[in-house]
Amino acid sequence: MASREVDRQRTFHDPRDLTPFRGVRVSSPVPGPFGRFGREPAAPRLRRFPARVERSVYDAVFRAREPERLVVLARSYPGWSGLCYVMAGLIAYRAHQHAQAAELLRRGLAGQNELAASQFAADYLSAWRQGVEVSEGVSVEVLFSEEAVCLALAHSLREIGHPRDALAALRPLPPSLPASLAACRLAEILGKPADVVSWTEGLTNRDDLAAALLILRARALRSLGRRGEAFVAVREVTRRRRTSLGLRRAALTERALLALGVGRRAQLGEAYDGAARPGAKRTKDAEVRELWLRDFERLTGERPE
């Protein structure tokens, strides 16, 4: 049974027609020249005669890109504190400052947003794209949304060694493959393979996120000793031809680990004629010791105790 640390099973079935997810990237040994998801989109045009706070937040987000400036604005304008802290956390996350990002994102989720701040987000942040790592080597591009914030917070908490808090950060999110992949990776870290198996039941390889989830499922099944089902999960990863090369390599590695375990059992069976004999090694040791005692007694005339 899955653990009850989450309110419901972290399912991968997403019933929505539109989601904030815009791309998946599996990391390669040689990164691209423009980062994980290419060039950042151009900043939107600032409307004419904006309010002072609006211009200040716009400059901090799209020009300076410094979390500290947004923190100052959050303290100066309490009605904008939620948005300012969230954007400061996302900018810190992009710079891989995970401890700072986790603290700022938490403050942002607990902060306040007046109507002007919500209108700013609707006017200027609709094209904001955030690359978030949901599992080692697998990242998704997410539009500005609660899912972008919570996934970035979960990754930052995972990086600084708080997987339980990271799993709790995913709790408000609707079902989706990225959220499921992040939750399963955290369950693996926490040593809960049964949760991973439960949350991935019935999954097929329809894209790279699903393939990454199937690899986690194969690992969990192997740790539970269910090698036959683990082989099925690995075969599903390699079935789709367009599966990322990095994920196919991970699946082949997992298949090799499974084969080594099964092969070792087969060799033991052949050595013992299909039946294990636990006392065989002990009998051999006793025979060697008896021979040694006889030689010692012949040479010295005494038999040791």
Side-chain angles (χ1 to χ4, degrees), residues 13 108 115 128-129 136 165 183 207 276 278 285:
H13 294 290
L115 181 59
W128 179 277
R129 296 172 181 263
E136 278 76 1
D165 294 338
D207 56 24
D285 291 341

Side-chain angles (χ1 to χ4, degrees), residues 32-48:
F34 304 118
R36 290 179 178 173
F37 293 99
R39 295 182 183 274
E40 294 181 359
R45 177 179 293 183
L46 183 65
R47 69 182 179 89
R48 299 179 64 183

Side-chain angles (χ1 to χ4, degrees), residues 38 47 118 126 148 171 175 183 203 217 246 266:
R47 69 182 179 89
S118 300
S126 59
R171 193 174 299 165
L203 179 65
R217 176 178 174 82

Side-chain angles (χ1 to χ4, degrees), residues 85-99:
Y85 277 127
V86 161
M87 295 310 301
L90 292 178
I91 292 173
Y93 178 82
R94 286 189 174 186
H96 306 287
Q97 303 295 330
H98 292 292

Side-chain angles (χ1 to χ4, degrees), residues 1-6 167 184 187 192-200:
M1 293 293 292
S3 70
R4 296 186 179 180
E5 293 187 9
V6 291
L167 195 59
C184 286
K192 299 181 181 297
D195 289 1
V196 179
V197 174
S198 174
W199 296 341
T200 56

Side-chain angles (χ1 to χ4, degrees), residues 156-265:
S156 293
L157 290 170
R158 171 164 62 88
E159 288 292 329
I160 62 177
H162 299 289
R164 293 185 185 277
D165 294 338
L167 195 59
L170 299 174
R171 193 174 299 165
L173 298 185
S176 67
L177 274 171
S180 183
L181 179 56
C184 286
R185 176 62 185 127
L186 290 166
E188 184 182 55
I189 293 173
L190 292 169
K192 299 181 181 297
D195 289 1
V196 179
V197 174
S198 174
W199 296 341
T200 56
E201 196 69 39
L203 179 65
T204 57
N205 182 9
R206 60 178 183 264
D207 56 24
D208 282 346
L209 286 174
L213 260 175
L214 284 166
I215 292 172
L216 293 182
R217 176 178 174 82
R219 291 181 193 167
L221 289 167
R222 176 165 58 87
S223 67
L224 294 172
R226 296 160 62 177
R227 298 180 180 273
E229 296 175 70
F231 268 119
V232 172
V234 170
R235 281 198 300 269
E236 182 63 21
V237 175
T238 57
R239 174 188 59 81
R240 188 172 61 91
R241 292 185 177 181
R242 293 191 177 183
T243 301
S244 170
L245 182 60
L247 295 175
R248 293 179 70 88
R249 287 175 176 173
L252 293 176
T253 300
E254 185 63 28
R255 186 173 68 180
L257 293 173
L258 288 166
L260 285 174
V262 173
R264 186 178 300 113
R265 290 185 178 180

